[in-house]
Amino acid sequence: MATTRHAHTVWEGDLAEGTGTVTLDSSGIGSYPVSWPARAEEPNGMTSPEELIAAAHSSCFSMFLSGSLTKAGTPPTRLTTKADVTFQPGKGITGVHITVEGEVPGMDEAAFTKAAEDAKAGCPVSQALAGTTITLSAALAG
């Protein structure tokens, strides 16, 4: 069964001076302020499209890797995934770097790195961002 999630943004004003609010409609967990300075400079308590993409990518990657490890008979105890999305004004999103640390009983570093590479290629958010360079650092905890 397919699922569709919803969010909306209301923007007021021009790009440089305006502000907006993005609302996560499907979950109802909140509305968050956005602005061009928060996107292109310092966040100053606001979010950005890139932060939202980083959240989506880190959670999708973790779910995909967990599912793959479980299917292979080595379910993880814990995965800690960070996604860094780089935005360059005038160029756009120039890259994503995923860092994952895993606690996976019975798995060696090489097998974990291979599983993480497969998750990087297979997770639906990675596939949606296929036009962007995605790099990966993977390690077992310890």
Side-chain angles (χ1 to χ4, degrees):
M1 180 173 136
T3 60
T4 302
R5 300 294 183 251
H6 309 278
H8 77 276
T9 299
V10 175
W11 185 267
E12 297 177 353
D14 67 11
L15 178 62
E17 302 295 322
T19 60
T21 302
V22 59
T23 300
L24 306 180
D25 298 322
S26 296
S27 64
I29 62 173
S31 296
Y32 305 93
V34 293
S35 72
W36 177 254
R39 184 178 191 186
E41 298 163 17
E42 292 299 317
N44 295 318
M46 296 185 182
T47 193
S48 68
E50 292 72 28
E51 183 178 35
L52 297 170
I53 290 169
H57 206 172
S58 67
S59 59
C60 180
F61 176 92
S62 293
M63 287 184 225
F64 194 95
L65 180 55
S66 178
S68 297
L69 292 170
T70 300
K71 190 181 223 182
T74 52
T77 302
R78 179 186 203 103
L79 298 171
T80 303
T81 306
K82 179 181 178 186
D84 298 309
V85 177
T86 302
F87 174 73
Q88 177 67 48
K91 292 185 180 179
I93 295 172
T94 58
V96 179
H97 183 73
I98 298 169
T99 303
V100 61
E101 181 179 85
E103 295 174 20
V104 188
M107 179 166 268
D108 67 24
E109 194 82 31
F112 181 71
T113 298
K114 169 77 168 87
E117 286 289 346
D118 291 346
K120 181 186 87 161
C123 117
V125 173
S126 289
Q127 292 176 357
L129 298 173
T132 301
T133 300
I134 301 171
T135 57
L136 173 71
S137 298
L140 289 171

